[in-house]
Amino acid sequence: MTTLAPVSNTATASDRGSGATLAVLLGAYMLIALDATVVSVALPALQRQMHFSATALSWVPNAYALTFGGLLLLGSRVGDVLGRRRAFSAGVALFTIASLLGGLAPNAGLLLAARAVQGVGAALSTPNVLALIAVNFDEGPARNRALSFYSAGAGLGGSLGMLLGGALTSWLSWRWALLINVPVGVVVALAAPRVIREPERQPGRFDVAGAITGTLGSTVLVYGVLRASDRGWTDALALATLTAAALLLISFLAVELKARQPLLPLEFLRDRGRIGAYLNMFLIPAGMFPTFFLLTLYFQEVLGYSALRTGLGFLPMTLVLFTTVRLMPRVLARVNLRAVLVTGAALVVLGGVWLTRLSEHGGYPAQLLGPLVLIGLGGGMSFMPMSALVLRGVTPARSGAAAGLLQTLQWTGGTVGTAVLVSLFSNTSRHGTGSAAHRLVQGIDAAFVLGTAVAAAAVLVATLVIRDRKA
């Protein structure tokens, strides 16, 4: 049983582990996950109204991804030192203010700046969601139930983002894809001090050298991947940026080996099960997250779906994923953890293989319903057990760092995977043959082949690295 540090705050002991606590934490996490996709469906309308060039338009999602992915590790350490609830609330408030400014932005420059600030707020709040779950819910059934909802957050938020973005863009304006965050963010920020239990702050100083090298390394890596996706993997600046990122991340590890209070405690990497969970928390999102972008193109450009109907097309995956993660605590009480993780990753592979067979003449029931159900089922069987495995046995003093690394790998994996697969899609469709729809499908099929290979690597990790059988 994890020993909880004494606290002093407005939340009483009866609030601990309550539904209100979980609702506030998941409300914030859903906002972050939703914002990763809600703007995507609105991009064509946004480009027309704001007069974005094609290159500038790509930075509407990229500005958010860059600051979010680059600052996650730092955000977790801020929570450790200054207080996780305080960091969480500040991140939600910053995200909400940036959403308001973005929704009201009169020009492209201010919109991109607001998206970057949204990423900063997300990086400050997101790792502290998982850390606060670790503190507010005892290890065991209570925490597993909370993690089951948390693990559905990314997939559920992403799918609802597509649906909500399509509806708001079709019925109102692209601006509401950002403004919808404001009322939810205000409620979460005001409720957090009342219902979330704050652990005692961890005394000490910031690991300045680790923060600089880790933050720069993560940010430069994300920028390099985004640049390569946009300009090609032979682009000189992209290659130079990726090389610099590798050197910075190596420097970060060297610094952490010597730091007295490291940003990333390297003892996390001495546990074989935790290493496997971290690896798969990068690989599975890298294979799964590009599905949203690729199938959005297929829905709208090949099948002729509207933005709203596109969002509805992802609904089966969302429902299956949510149902599966809710059942995971009961499953883990009866089935060994490694078997669950191997099966989950294998189902994602099967769904990916099915999607490599898309054609321009196919329909939704025959070509899309089955693989979306398989991917939702596989994702639901993967994310909650991996989160539980990472947090098991972690003391409150280390929960922020453990959660920060988990979130960094999850969202960086999704960003890198999307960038690489979209680059492959673009190159393949550009050099394809036949009609425009046929070339587009050729590119999508090629991207899913690579995405399936990434998911297959997760099967190997779950099989060969994770030996832990405890639930």
Side-chain angles (χ1 to χ4, degrees):
M1 184 76 69
T2 300
T3 301
L4 296 172
V7 297
S8 177
N9 54 51
T10 58
T12 66
S14 62
D15 291 322
R16 184 170 172 270
S18 69
T21 301
L22 189 59
V24 170
L25 290 171
L26 294 184
Y29 188 56
M30 286 287 293
L31 272 184
I32 305 305
L34 183 146
D35 209 73
T37 58
V38 68
V39 176
S40 300
V41 180
L43 288 178
L46 190 153
Q47 183 177 28
R48 289 192 299 270
Q49 294 182 24
M50 298 292 282
H51 307 293
F52 270 99
S53 66
T55 301
L57 185 68
S58 68
W59 280 100
V60 176
N62 289 353
Y64 177 81
L66 186 65
T67 52
F68 183 26
L71 298 174
L72 272 166
L73 271 180
L74 184 59
S76 70
R77 183 57 179 157
V78 169
D80 281 339
V81 177
L82 300 184
R84 297 191 191 105
R85 190 183 64 191
R86 177 178 294 182
F88 167 81
S89 299
V92 171
L94 185 61
F95 181 87
T96 303
I97 292 170
S99 298
L100 177 63
L101 296 177
L104 300 177
N107 56 58
L110 289 177
L111 175 59
L112 293 180
R115 289 288 288 166
V117 176
Q118 272 188 303
V120 176
L124 194 57
S125 60
T126 300
N128 289 296
V129 171
L130 191 54
L132 287 167
I133 285 177
V135 170
N136 282 263
F137 296 86
D138 284 335
E139 187 171 347
R143 184 182 295 178
N144 285 346
R145 284 193 294 271
L147 287 175
S148 72
F149 282 104
Y150 167 84
S151 300
L156 186 61
S159 296
L160 290 180
M162 304 293 292
L163 178 60
L164 192 59
L168 292 172
T169 302
S170 300
W171 298 339
L172 297 171
S173 164
W174 65 265
R175 294 182 181 276
W176 283 97
L178 294 172
L179 294 175
I180 193 66
N181 297 333
V182 176
V184 180
V186 169
V187 171
V188 168
L190 292 177
R194 298 178 179 275
V195 301
I196 297 176
R197 184 174 185 269
E198 170 77 288
E200 185 176 308
R201 299 180 204 172
Q202 304 304 317
R205 299 177 300 173
F206 279 109
D207 172 17
V208 177
I212 292 173
T213 54
T215 300
L216 284 178
S218 301
T219 305
V220 171
L221 173 64
V222 174
Y223 174 79
V225 171
L226 294 174
R227 170 84 184 190
S229 175
D230 184 46
R231 301 294 180 89
W233 293 89
T234 58
D235 177 75
L237 181 57
L239 293 175
T241 303
L242 292 172
T243 301
L247 294 174
L248 284 166
L249 291 174
I250 291 171
S251 300
F252 169 67
L253 292 176
V255 168
E256 297 305 276
L257 284 171
K258 298 179 180 180
R260 291 184 177 179
Q261 294 180 319
L263 191 69
L264 172 61
L266 294 181
E267 61 261 30
F268 289 159
L269 305 183
R270 294 174 186 164
D271 182 285
R272 184 167 179 160
R274 189 174 286 120
I275 290 174
Y278 277 138
L279 285 173
N280 275 2
M281 194 56 89
F282 180 91
L283 292 171
I284 291 179
M288 279 184 63
F289 284 16
T291 302
F292 289 110
F293 177 85
L294 296 168
L295 290 188
T296 295
L297 288 177
Y298 184 79
F299 281 138
Q300 297 190 11
E301 301 298 328
V302 178
L303 300 183
Y305 282 16
S306 65
L308 178 58
R309 194 178 178 188
T310 296
L312 289 171
F314 287 102
L315 198 56
M317 181 174 71
T318 303
L319 295 175
V320 170
L321 189 149
F322 183 76
T323 303
T324 303
V325 296
R326 290 294 297 124
L327 294 174
M328 275 299 99
R330 299 178 187 176
V331 172
L332 290 177
R334 296 172 173 83
V335 182
N336 77 70
L337 186 145
R338 185 176 67 168
V340 173
L341 290 174
V342 170
T343 303
L347 289 172
V348 174
V349 171
L350 290 176
V353 170
W354 197 335
L355 288 173
T356 64
R357 308 295 296 172
L358 291 177
S359 72
E360 65 268 36
H361 304 299
Y364 183 90
Q367 293 199 94
L368 293 163
L369 181 59
L372 285 173
V373 168
L374 287 174
I375 291 173
L377 183 60
M381 293 180 70
S382 299
F383 289 117
M384 181 265 163
M386 287 190 293
S387 298
L389 185 54
V390 164
L391 289 178
R392 191 179 61 203
V394 175
T395 65
R398 299 296 197 188
S399 61
L405 180 57
L406 183 76
Q407 290 289 336
T408 298
L409 291 170
Q410 179 181 351
W411 292 103
T412 303
T415 300
V416 171
T418 299
V420 172
L421 266 63
V422 168
S423 177
L424 176 60
F425 154 78
S426 300
N427 290 332
T428 304
S429 58
R430 188 182 306 119
H431 298 100
T433 59
S435 65
H438 185 67
R439 292 196 302 272
L440 187 141
V441 171
Q442 285 179 316
I444 292 175
D445 287 346
F448 276 123
V449 168
L450 180 56
T452 301
V454 173
V459 176
L460 292 177
V461 169
T463 304
L464 301 177
V465 178
I466 298 175
R467 297 292 178 85
D468 198 320
R469 296 180 177 272
K470 296 179 182 178

